[in-house]
Amino acid sequence: MQLPPEELLVVGNTGDDFVHLGMNISPDLDTVMYWMAGLNDATRGWGLAGETWNFMASLERLGGSTWFMLGDRDLATHVERTQRLSRGGLLSDVTAYLCERLHVRHHIVPMTDENVRTVVHTDEGALEFQNYFVRRQCEPRVLHVEFQGAKHASPSPAFSAALTRDNLGAIAICPSNPLLSVEPILAISDIRQRIERHRAPVVAVSPIVGGHTIKGPAAKIFRELGLEPSALGIAQYYAGLIDGLVIDDIDADLKRPIEALGLRVVVTNTIMKTGPDQARLANEVIDFSASLLETLHA
């Protein structure tokens, strides 16, 4: 089942955003946008399929900064975003425009139109997110993570409006890094409290499978912060926020300990290698959410 555009709102993390080579880069928004446009590079997991790298090669010859790779076709997105923002456009409006041009029918919105920046405090000092994630390849040990500007930022209009609706079917937290991709969204103003109070079921998919992450440093950071790098650790981290958790078959033995926290649990194959895998898991999350909605308001 594919949700029609009016029934799905994707809220993207913008704590990763930064200005690079004079351009406004929104990595998470672009990754979602390219994927939903069917243009993404599935092998790398970011950027556009069939990309070329002439710009980066020329920049390297000139001695420029090449640690953050920007493909030739991808550059157009950043140039257009930068121009529109420089003319006073809001990130929400610019994102909607880019999605329209790429024929993305579903709504993708930033978590906020204001500047919120993720800063990773490490044993090597404070690092802006992209310096930690891309330039240093997540090698430094994390001490804590800060979301500069989040406390005083307002959610984007579409995000805020969605949370005022009392007929939401569910709020789904994708299997992204809880500390680096989800927490920046929850850190905005009173977003966590609004989600906790909402009548819609809140369902998360564990990004940690068998004690490891399929992609990214979530398990590493959990260990460095003294958290348990497991599906149970994810449940403990989200305790009080979520009503249900989807975990992988390999973690089936953790179902009862997670349920002991007061959460409902679905055990399934959460590894998404193909489009059909993604569709199957999405449908299972939708079905799980529907069953929770009936239980919560029976």
Side-chain angles (χ1 to χ4, degrees):
M1 176 178 67
Q2 183 180 33
L3 292 175
E6 65 273 13
E7 292 187 15
L8 178 66
L9 179 74
V10 180
V11 178
N13 162 42
T14 58
D16 300 2
D17 290 16
F18 73 132
V19 176
H20 184 60
L21 302 179
M23 293 177 288
N24 294 86
I25 316 291
S26 295
D28 282 14
L29 289 175
D30 289 346
T31 295
V32 175
M33 180 174 67
Y34 291 156
W35 183 84
M36 295 188 79
L39 301 172
N40 63 306
D41 187 319
T43 301
R44 284 200 312 267
W46 55 271
L48 290 159
E51 188 61 276
T52 56
W53 307 94
N54 297 304
F55 170 77
M56 298 306 300
S58 297
L59 187 62
E60 185 174 25
R61 282 196 297 271
L62 296 173
S65 176
T66 59
W67 62 269
F68 191 88
M69 297 294 289
L70 296 169
D72 298 330
R73 296 169 61 209
D74 185 38
L75 278 172
T77 298
H78 309 312
V79 169
E80 188 63 21
R81 175 187 294 114
T82 302
Q83 289 184 337
R84 288 177 174 272
L85 290 176
S86 70
R87 295 197 293 264
L90 296 176
L91 184 57
S92 289
D93 297 332
V94 176
T95 302
Y97 172 80
L98 293 172
C99 286
E100 179 183 5
R101 298 299 299 180
L102 294 180
H103 306 293
V104 177
R105 296 173 60 241
H106 292 79
H107 300 290
I108 303 171
V109 302
M111 63 187 194
T112 181
D113 287 320
E114 301 167 51
N115 287 330
V116 173
R117 296 296 176 258
T118 299
V119 176
V120 184
H121 294 265
T122 75
D123 57 355
E124 296 183 10
L127 299 173
E128 294 183 351
F129 178 83
Q130 298 299 343
N131 277 320
Y132 167 77
F133 192 74
V134 178
R135 197 170 200 168
R136 296 291 289 112
Q137 295 291 295
C138 308
E139 291 179 1
R141 182 169 63 88
V142 174
L143 305 178
H144 67 96
V145 183
E146 178 187 7
F147 309 107
Q148 292 182 349
K151 184 180 297 185
H152 303 292
S154 300
S156 63
F159 185 19
S160 183
L163 291 177
T164 64
R165 293 175 50 188
D166 59 6
N167 63 341
L168 287 182
I171 299 171
I173 300 176
C174 296
S176 297
N177 189 312
L179 292 156
L180 300 182
S181 296
V182 179
E183 196 60 41
I185 300 174
L186 299 176
I188 295 174
S189 190
D190 60 349
I191 288 298
R192 178 183 288 270
Q193 292 73 26
R194 291 177 68 179
I195 292 175
E196 289 175 351
R197 294 195 302 262
H198 206 285
R199 71 185 299 274
V202 183
V203 173
V205 180
S206 175
I208 298 181
V209 176
H212 305 279
T213 40
I214 303 303
K215 179 182 178 183
K220 170 185 178 290
I221 297 175
F222 261 50
R223 285 191 293 269
E224 291 169 349
L225 296 181
L227 304 173
E228 182 178 332
S230 70
L232 177 59
I234 294 294
Q236 293 168 334
Y237 184 84
Y238 285 139
L241 177 71
I242 65 174
D243 302 295
L245 184 66
V246 180
I247 67 175
D248 193 76
D249 292 322
I250 198 172
D251 293 316
D253 61 326
L254 297 177
K255 182 175 186 290
R256 286 193 175 183
I258 295 173
E259 289 176 335
L261 297 174
L263 300 177
R264 294 278 297 278
V265 180
V266 162
V267 180
T268 187
N269 176 15
T270 63
I271 309 301
M272 295 176 284
K273 296 181 179 180
T274 66
D277 290 338
Q278 295 166 347
R280 173 194 50 77
L281 183 58
N283 285 329
E284 291 186 25
V285 170
I286 291 172
D287 292 342
F288 183 29
S289 301
S291 69
L292 279 174
L293 185 60
E294 291 181 2
T295 302
L296 292 173
H297 303 292

